[in-house]
Amino acid sequence: MSYYLETNIPGVFAAGDVRHGSVKRCASAVGEGAMAVTFVHHYVTNG
Ligand SMILES: Cc1cc2nc3c(=O)[nH]c(=O)nc-3n(C[C@H](O)[C@H](O)[C@H](O)COP(=O)(O)OP(=O)(O)OC[C@H]3O[C@@H](n4cnc5c(N)ncnc54)[C@H](O)[C@@H]3O)c2cc1C
């Protein structure tokens, strides 16, 4: 199972401008970063 914001490398997440299709806004980058942290925790806990 893959998580939202996860790249094609399992356990590696992309947030902000580097993400394909990002909207290029500060608030979006920060929000996606916060989301990615949550998903990293899920990944580490559940695989
Ligand atoms: C001129 C300009 C004006 C803008 N005005 C606005 C605005 O008014 N409002 C708004 O919301 N957004 C604005 N933006 C967009 C906003 O700046 C970006 O969307 C936001 O900064 C993206 O954040 P980020 O963390 O994804 O990327 P970045 O802020 O680009 O951070 C990426 C970081 O990674 C570092 N890095 C790169 N490669 C490596 C590497 N190999 N190893 C280690 N570190 C690396 C870079 O040095 C950089 O510090 C503007 C952008 C520009 C260029």
Side-chain angles (χ1 to χ4, degrees):
M1 169 187 160
S2 63
Y3 293 94
Y4 186 54
L5 300 177
E6 192 174 16
T7 67
N8 64 334
I9 302 172
V12 175
F13 295 78
D17 281 12
V18 74
R19 189 176 62 75
H20 177 74
S22 69
V23 294
K24 311 284 191 266
R25 285 291 174 269
C26 290
S28 301
V30 172
E32 289 176 12
M35 290 167 63
V37 169
T38 299
F39 294 134
V40 166
H41 283 291
H42 283 290
Y43 179 85
V44 170
T45 304
N46 306 316

